[in-house]
Amino acid sequence: MLLARLLGAAFLVGGLLPIANWIAGGHAAPWYGERVAMWTSGGGILLGVAAIAFIVVRRRPELWRDGAWQRLAERWVGAGWRADVAIAVFATVLYVIIAQAVFSAKPLLIDEIVQVWQARVLAQGRLWVPSPEQPEFTAIMHLADLDGRRFGQFPVGGPLMLMLGTLVGAEWLVGPVFAG
């Protein structure tokens, strides 16, 4: 258990360090300094808000009763699988609302658009479609035209999941359902 925690901490720290910048002649991450400044100021704001919340809760004990988390956990365990299902349903409904209200139930980034395109191709029972006669007029990033075949550059796993949404006419539901 200790080894797993140490490895986890090492990976966490390693993921935040600019190792690419330290390798001579290799790829550099010139944006790293800006990101560190943003994380530092954001972390400072978070710590400040947490300190204020701690002070307020300590001075006003009626805001939080001793053992409240324990009672909540006991009720959750006592409810059994019904509590898990209720939380999953609540989360799914919340994610569906967010997908509709914030993202208009549409893919927004080029990666998402191409993966939805791939899902629609997979729903046709194909891995690729024939390239148009003049592919330069319909080409977009992340679509490949090779030897008369057009296909997305992404591994098939994500589009295969999205294909379930294609089959019911709602690719946008796949994310909220799997997240819930």
Side-chain angles (χ1 to χ4, degrees):
M1 189 65 166
L2 177 63
L3 179 61
R5 288 183 182 187
L6 289 173
L7 281 173
F11 286 136
L12 174 68
V13 170
L16 297 174
L17 295 175
I19 296 171
N21 287 359
W22 300 340
I23 301 171
H27 175 74
W31 45 262
Y32 183 76
E34 178 185 326
R35 296 301 192 286
V36 168
M38 286 181 3
W39 276 91
T40 303
S41 62
I45 292 169
L46 181 66
L47 286 175
V49 169
I52 291 169
F54 178 74
I55 291 168
V56 168
V57 169
R58 251 181 71 192
R59 290 189 180 171
R60 299 189 144 255
E62 68 273 7
L63 292 177
W64 191 257
R65 293 179 295 279
D66 284 339
W69 278 117
Q70 184 64 34
R71 286 191 298 276
L72 181 63
E74 288 169 1
R75 286 185 64 199
W76 185 1
V77 169
W81 62 271
R82 289 177 192 85
D84 298 336
V85 170
I87 290 170
V89 168
F90 174 77
T92 303
V93 169
L94 180 64
Y95 300 150
V96 165
I97 291 168
I98 291 170
Q100 282 284 337
V102 177
F103 302 113
S104 302
K106 293 179 176 31
L108 302 176
L109 303 174
I110 188 73
D111 295 22
E112 297 167 343
I113 293 167
V114 171
Q115 288 191 35
V116 167
W117 180 88
Q118 274 184 280
R120 291 175 182 172
V121 170
L122 291 170
Q124 297 170 11
R126 310 179 74 161
L127 293 175
W128 53 272
V129 295
S131 294
E133 268 193 48
Q134 296 177 316
E136 59 272 11
F137 291 115
T138 57
I140 61 173
M141 289 175 54
H142 307 318
L143 274 186
D145 285 296
L146 186 65
D147 297 328
R149 296 176 292 172
R150 176 172 275 183
F151 51 91
Q153 74 163 17
F154 296 99
V156 76
L160 199 57
M161 284 176 42
L162 286 173
M163 185 187 75
L164 300 172
T166 299
L167 295 175
V168 297
E171 292 101 349
W172 65 273
L173 267 176
V174 172
V177 168
F178 274 90

